[in-house]
Amino acid sequence: KGGQRFNIYQRSNYSAKKKRHALVWQDVLLVNGLNSIWGPYAGRHHDAGIVDHTGLLDDLADVSKDLGVDYAVFGDAAYPLTRHCFPACKAPKGCKLATPQKNYNLIMSRFRTPVENNFAAEGQQWGFIQHVQNQRLGRSAVGKQYIARAFLHNCYTLLYDSITSVQHGGFVSENPITLEWFMDASN
C-alpha cells in the first residue's frame, strides 16, 4: 500500500524540466524584503500555471485599482506579459534576441539580482532547507520546511535591514510592518 502511494507521489511530483522529483512554490519578494509564498505545488506544474492558479496577477490588478497605483511583478520568461507582470524576454529556439529585448533584459536584471541574492541569503540563514538528504517526499515535511524558512526569514527581515531594500536604496514605508503585527497577522 505504501509503495503505491509513493509511486503516485513520484509521478505527480516529477519535474521533467529539472529531471528530478520536486515541490514548487510561487514566491514573490516584495520591495521591503518580505516574502509572500503560495504552495507547495507538485513539481510537474509549470510556473505560468501556478501564477494563474494563485490569482497573484488578479490581486495585483485589484490592489492597483484600489490604491490608484500600478503594481507589477518581474518574472522569468514563463510568465505572461500583462499590465501587472513583466517577464524576461526569451528568444525562440534557433533565434537571437533583438537589441531592444537584450537591453530590456539587462535593465530588468538589476531587479532580479537582489531577488536571487535574497533567496541565497535565506538558504544560508536557514540551512536546514538546503540539506537535500533530509527532504524526502512522504518521509519528511518538505512543504512545511520551506514555509518555515520563509516565515523565519520574514521575521528576520522585520528585525534587521533586508538585502533587497538596501540594494534598492533603503525602502522606507510610511506605515512600516512591525514584527508584532506580522506575528498577529500570521495566526
Side-chain angles (χ1 to χ4, degrees):
K1 195 172 187 177
Q4 289 175 338
R5 186 173 6 154
F6 186 70
N7 287 338
I8 292 168
Y9 288 143
Q10 281 189 331
R11 198 174 310 117
S12 66
N13 291 309
Y14 185 74
S15 170
K17 179 181 176 185
K18 295 182 180 183
K19 296 185 176 21
R20 64 178 178 208
H21 295 88
L23 293 176
V24 292
W25 285 260
Q26 175 67 54
D27 197 335
V28 175
L29 181 66
L30 306 174
V31 73
N32 63 1
L34 297 179
N35 283 333
S36 186
I37 63 172
W38 294 264
Y41 294 91
R44 64 183 164 83
H45 290 292
H46 191 272
D47 289 351
I50 293 172
V51 78
D52 184 52
H53 183 264
T54 63
L56 169 66
L57 300 181
D58 294 333
D59 291 347
L60 278 173
D62 292 343
V63 168
S64 296
K65 183 178 178 184
D66 292 347
L67 298 178
V69 177
D70 273 339
Y71 288 97
V73 294
F74 175 65
D76 63 23
Y79 287 24
L81 174 62
T82 70
R83 182 176 182 166
H84 302 288
C85 184
F86 303 122
C89 295
K90 184 177 180 181
K93 263 189 175 171
C95 298
K96 293 184 179 181
L97 287 177
T99 302
Q101 293 170 317
K102 288 179 186 177
N103 291 339
Y104 168 80
N105 281 351
L106 182 65
I107 290 167
M108 295 308 281
S109 71
R110 291 184 304 163
F111 298 101
R112 188 166 179 95
T113 300
V115 171
E116 298 300 333
N117 289 345
N118 187 76
F119 293 143
E122 277 185 41
Q124 290 172 356
Q125 286 174 320
W126 318 109
F128 63 87
I129 201 73
Q130 298 292 5
H131 299 288
V132 176
Q133 65 271 20
N134 293 337
Q135 298 178 357
R136 306 228 183 251
L137 288 176
R139 296 186 185 149
S140 63
V142 177
K144 290 180 183 177
Q145 290 175 2
Y146 190 85
I147 292 168
R149 177 179 109 169
F151 178 81
L152 290 170
H153 183 76
N154 283 346
C155 291
Y156 182 87
T157 298
L158 291 168
L159 291 171
Y160 306 99
D161 280 337
S162 95
I163 293 171
T164 305
S165 66
V166 169
Q167 288 181 339
H168 284 289
F171 175 78
V172 178
S173 173
E174 292 178 18
N175 301 308
I177 296 172
T178 65
L179 180 60
E180 293 77 16
W181 181 89
F182 178 72
M183 296 298 274
D184 285 342
S186 297
N187 288 330

